[in-house]
Amino acid sequence: MDFLILSLIKAAIVAFVLLTALAYLQWIERKVIAHIQLRVGPYRVGPHGLLQPLADVVKLITKEGVIPSHVNKLFYIMAPWIAVVLALISIAVIPFGPQITVGPVTTWMQLTDLNIGILFVLAVSSVGVYGVALGGWASNNKYSLLGGLRSSAQMISYELPLALAVAAPLLLANTLSFREMVNYQSGYWLGFIPRWNVIPEIFGFVVFLIAAFAETNRVPFDLPEAENELVAGFHTEYSSMKFAAFFMAEYANMVTVTAVATLLFLGGWQPPFPEPYSDFVPILIFALAGLIALYHGLNPARRKDKYTLPAAALLFLGLAAIFGLSLFVPVLKEIVMALFGFCGKIGLLLFLFIWVRGTLPRFRYDQLMRFAWIFLFPLSMINLLVTGLVVALSSK
Amino acid sequence: MTALIFFIFAGIAVFCGISLVVQKHPIASALSLIGVMGSLAILYLQLGGEFIAAAQVIVYAGAIMVLFVFVIMLLNAGAEGTSLEGSRFAKYLGILLLAAFLGLISFIIQAMLPSTEGVVFGAFRGGTAVEIGRKLFTAYLLPFEVTSVLILIAILGAIVLARKEI
């Protein structure tokens, strides 16, 4: 029974944090894009628009769910839930940190460790396309159908370079389990260069990231929902919670894909510097952020900044204090350092996703396909072959 | 517990299999087939074939069936008209014959394999990726290579057929 209760607690924590993070990821995305475009973004609901995600959720739940008369009802209702369930399910095998001991309980910061964890994520993501494809088809609408078709063609094409790019670090580490993958990447070359897979596998990492953009239907590969051609693509006919489910699925996929990239290429929760130095990184970052916020709060550019920015500063300084405290409490240190390393890397990759969305224009459809088959696929193939050769030669 | 999970997913597999044949719309049939493959993957997992389970989902449910669904959507195939308009007598006779046929098959299997032991969940330990890789490149090297040549021929055939139209 201990196992059951522990699993339930862990699942509850992960689900709560993940769903909140998904809502706020959207706020962050709107803010970052707004600042890239010299706007302020959401600003009305709560300080700096911080309550905007809450307002959006309330709006989406209370809105009338219109089901158009010409749709295939069963599949129309099923599609968004397929998309969101399959998007959320892969988080179950993602490890967030090492084994920890809290009081009498010793557990991994992970819901479950499969021997085939990486294959599981690939399998779930390869089935995930049905949500989008079905939604497009069941809407019984030309634009939606084209969106769904584009999405399935795109996902089949980019699955290949993605899988090949994933295979290269697997060859290096000789495992399919995320935990062992991260353990393989611990330690440092020459005492200061982290032994992350991204260094020998830089091409694999780049291919993985590009394919990940396509797999999550993000700009510059968001052809399935290209507004200027397809109205809104596969979710044109969807409203209220069914639309929200598609939306959530997109963000959950982004989180999963960045988490996988972190685990396979960026060393998971391993810190980028050797032990004594890495302990001070989060303290420095949060203290600096707190001081900057405090400075701007004392010299407010806008009227309300007098109150909001010092509050933010307090939050950052508090975080810095927690990390400072953790230097003296080993139990706390293991948890917060692992979380900082893991979430920091995921956050940077997510920021990259948003940054690219604010920067690059959309590909044309033929360019998208040609790019996958003529450039990305051969590159990942060569990368895999070279990696295999090196592994074979060095293993003797 | 394992037996419960087995019966749930075996039931889903059989249900989806029947639904695959009975459904009138091609998309619904394709989705039923995905259901069959998904529940088969769970059964493989229960029997200890974890790699096969993952491959089943990635290759069949993920890649091949996506292609199926894609083609059905692209051709926009509509619902098929029902062709099962036989007489009522034929239907009842059909049920009887089906039952007799299934009974015969189960009898033959029982007669041929009299001493088969029952399957034990979790007893099989050779289903990891490492084991399968080792077996593929030692004991089953020839069939493995022959299969790869077969697939190569299929790819070349597809290109040749497509070339004519380009």
Side-chain angles (χ1 to χ4, degrees), chain B residues 100-147:
Chain B
F101 179 68
L102 289 179
L104 201 64
I105 284 186
S106 59
F107 176 74
I108 291 172
I109 290 174
Q110 291 245 323
M112 278 171 66
L113 307 165
S115 64
T116 342
E117 289 171 22
V119 176
V120 182
F121 291 118
F124 179 63
R125 292 253 166 247
T128 59
V130 178
E131 301 274 343
I132 287 182
R134 194 156 286 148
K135 278 275 175 349
L136 268 187
F137 285 98
T138 53
Y140 303 106
L141 185 59
L142 184 66
F144 178 70
E145 294 292 345
V146 170
T147 315

Side-chain angles (χ1 to χ4, degrees), chain A residues 60-203:
Chain A
L60 284 165
I61 289 176
T62 51
K63 232 178 173 182
E64 182 190 2
V66 182
I67 298 183
S69 57
H70 52 76
V71 300
N72 188 329
K73 237 182 195 164
L74 175 67
F75 297 134
Y76 176 83
I77 294 172
M78 227 162 77
W81 302 116
I82 293 180
V84 74
V85 165
L86 288 174
L88 290 175
I89 218 170
S90 15
I91 209 77
V93 296
I94 304 274
F96 309 102
Q99 199 169 28
I100 50 167
T101 309
V102 184
V105 189
T106 301
T107 182
W108 278 85
M109 291 167 73
Q110 181 182 21
L111 288 185
T112 175
D113 183 50
L114 295 184
N115 287 333
I116 49 160
I118 294 162
L119 289 182
F120 179 83
V121 171
L122 279 182
V124 169
S125 84
S126 73
V127 180
V129 63
Y130 288 117
V132 172
L134 264 187
W137 176 80
S139 295
N140 207 357
N141 167 326
K142 281 189 192 103
Y143 296 126
S144 301
L145 180 67
L146 278 175
L149 284 178
R150 279 182 176 186
S151 144
S152 12
Q154 178 178 328
M155 284 181 108
I156 294 172
S157 307
Y158 279 84
E159 197 104 306
L160 281 170
L162 186 87
L164 288 175
V166 165
L170 297 187
L171 271 181
L172 286 180
N174 201 10
T175 177
L176 285 172
S177 145
F178 279 120
R179 256 180 221 172
E180 287 166 35
M181 189 55 140
V182 174
N183 287 339
Y184 168 80
Q185 297 178 71
S186 64
Y188 300 87
W189 282 303
L190 305 176
F192 66 98
I193 305 170
R195 298 175 60 98
W196 297 350
N197 283 334
V198 66
I199 293 170
E201 288 296 333
I202 182 70
F203 290 111

Side-chain angles (χ1 to χ4, degrees), chain B residues 152-165:
Chain B
L152 187 65
I153 292 170
I155 295 173
L156 287 180
I159 291 175
V160 168
L161 286 178
R163 263 272 156 96
K164 269 183 200 162
E165 293 184 5

Side-chain angles (χ1 to χ4, degrees), chain A residues 145-361:
Chain A
L145 180 67
L146 278 175
L149 284 178
R150 279 182 176 186
S151 144
S152 12
Q154 178 178 328
M155 284 181 108
I156 294 172
S157 307
Y158 279 84
E159 197 104 306
L160 281 170
L162 186 87
L164 288 175
V166 165
L170 297 187
L171 271 181
L172 286 180
N174 201 10
T175 177
L176 285 172
S177 145
F178 279 120
R179 256 180 221 172
E180 287 166 35
M181 189 55 140
V182 174
N183 287 339
Y184 168 80
Q185 297 178 71
S186 64
Y188 300 87
W189 282 303
L190 305 176
F192 66 98
I193 305 170
R195 298 175 60 98
W196 297 350
N197 283 334
V198 66
I199 293 170
E201 288 296 333
I202 182 70
F203 290 111
F205 182 62
V206 172
V207 170
F208 181 88
L209 269 191
I210 294 174
F213 277 100
E215 285 283 308
T216 49
N217 292 332
R218 293 279 301 181
V219 176
F221 302 117
D222 65 336
L223 271 297
E225 42 189 304
E227 291 91 355
N228 45 4
E229 303 161 22
L230 297 179
V231 190
F234 60 89
H235 56 62
T236 305
E237 301 280 3
Y238 282 92
S239 53
S240 79
M241 272 318 277
K242 291 195 272 306
F243 169 73
F246 274 128
F247 214 67
M248 247 168 78
E250 182 184 324
Y251 283 90
N253 277 330
M254 262 167 70
V255 171
T256 311
V257 104
T258 47
V260 171
T262 305
L263 291 167
L264 289 183
F265 293 100
L266 298 179
W269 56 85
Q270 314 276 3
F273 306 107
E275 186 64 31
Y277 307 110
S278 63
D279 295 348
F280 300 106
V281 173
I283 303 176
L284 276 180
I285 289 177
F286 283 122
L288 207 62
L291 290 180
I292 290 173
L294 201 60
Y295 172 76
H296 285 287
L298 294 178
N299 305 298
R302 299 183 197 86
R303 200 159 43 84
K304 281 181 188 161
D305 284 1
K306 258 185 299 191
Y307 311 107
T308 54
L309 286 180
L314 213 60
L315 183 73
F316 283 128
L317 290 176
L319 280 171
I322 288 180
F323 279 97
L325 183 71
S326 77
L327 289 182
F328 307 104
V329 188
V331 180
L332 189 65
K333 186 184 155 191
E334 265 188 345
I335 300 177
V336 290
M337 284 307 292
L339 279 181
F340 177 78
F342 193 68
C343 298
K345 286 169 196 169
I346 289 190
L348 284 179
L349 286 177
L350 286 174
F351 181 76
L352 180 74
F353 269 65
I354 299 169
W355 189 5
V356 165
R357 179 174 164 192
T359 313
L360 290 185

